[in-house]
Amino acid sequence: MKYTFVTLFPNLIEGYFKDSILKRAIDKGIIEIDYLNPRDYSKNKHFKVDDTAVGGGAGMVMNPQPLFDALDDLRCKDENVHIVFLTPVAKPFVQNDAKRLAQKSHIAFVSGRYEGIDERVIEKYADEVFSIGDYVLTGGELASLIICDATSRNIEGVLGNSQSLEVESFETPLLEAPSFSKPKMYEGLSVPSEYLKGNHSKIRSLKLALSECKTKFFRPDELKKYKVTAKL
Ligand code: 6GU
């Protein structure tokens, strides 16, 4: 998988790939990261990329020209590139999107800064448009990293242990059961005794009951999609 980050601020992105799981995926050749800066395409003599909004309104809007030229260049080099725009005015990104995007060969994430991107750019180039939630960020860069991260862990070979993909929150409507590590007793706090006894069928049913409790408490909306088995 290749990811191209189309951003005025590649420095905001780069650090994330310098450590941990995604660094290992890059080192293994499973993912590749590239950057495209719209400023490099600006035909303005001061390399300006934004202007005030036509028709009024607060803030600066990213001009079409640098983005049209950058994205033409991108499409010209790879006609299969899947172009994703990040904006709060979009459908929310969910786990199924992460699984679907993991099947692509090349995704470009286009991040807007300032008040947004000239709508004509989105109309012309967007294959998809995502928001990551009901709040407003200063730009799309964090959102692009979140979508890239959530997508990458669904690509074969990125996670060491493919089993860890299976019993996770959002693979079913239920949130994941709590996990514990060693020691079994720490500062007077014990791991639940059932987890210690090694009866795997009992552990499974306790975990299911705890999952249902967590979901009822934190995500009652999700619990409605699911037939509860434990007595909560
Ligand atoms: Cl994708 N961008 C911005 N700027 N704010 C957001 C967002 C994206 N998703 C939620 N808030």
Side-chain angles (χ1 to χ4, degrees), residues 84-87 90-93 97 100-101 128-131 147:
V84 172
F85 281 70
L86 292 316
T87 152
K91 67 179 171 182
F93 178 78
D97 297 313
R100 186 171 49 75
L101 290 182
E128 262 183 285
V129 187
F130 283 119
S131 157
I147 294 176

Side-chain angles (χ1 to χ4, degrees), residues 67-77 124-125:
L67 281 165
F68 266 56
D69 290 356
L71 295 175
D72 278 342
D73 201 15
L74 189 69
R75 270 257 157 83
C76 191
K77 286 180 182 142
K124 178 155 179 179
Y125 294 96

Side-chain angles (χ1 to χ4, degrees), residues 86-88 130-140 143:
L86 292 316
T87 152
F130 283 119
S131 157
I132 57 158
D134 294 341
Y135 37 80
V136 183
L137 304 168
T138 57

Side-chain angles (χ1 to χ4, degrees), residues 34-45:
D34 200 5
Y35 300 93
L36 201 56
N37 192 332
R39 198 175 296 283
D40 296 337
Y41 290 83
S42 174
K43 291 185 175 144
N44 177 278
K45 63 175 186 258

Side-chain angles (χ1 to χ4, degrees), residues 2 15-16 34 41 45 55 59 61 64 68 77 108 124 151 159 161 170 175 177 200 221:
K2 179 170 178 178
Y16 196 67
D34 200 5
Y41 290 83
K45 63 175 186 258
V61 178
F68 266 56
K77 286 180 182 142
K124 178 155 179 179
T151 299
L159 295 184
N161 175 4
F170 305 112
L175 298 182
H200 290 288
D221 55 321

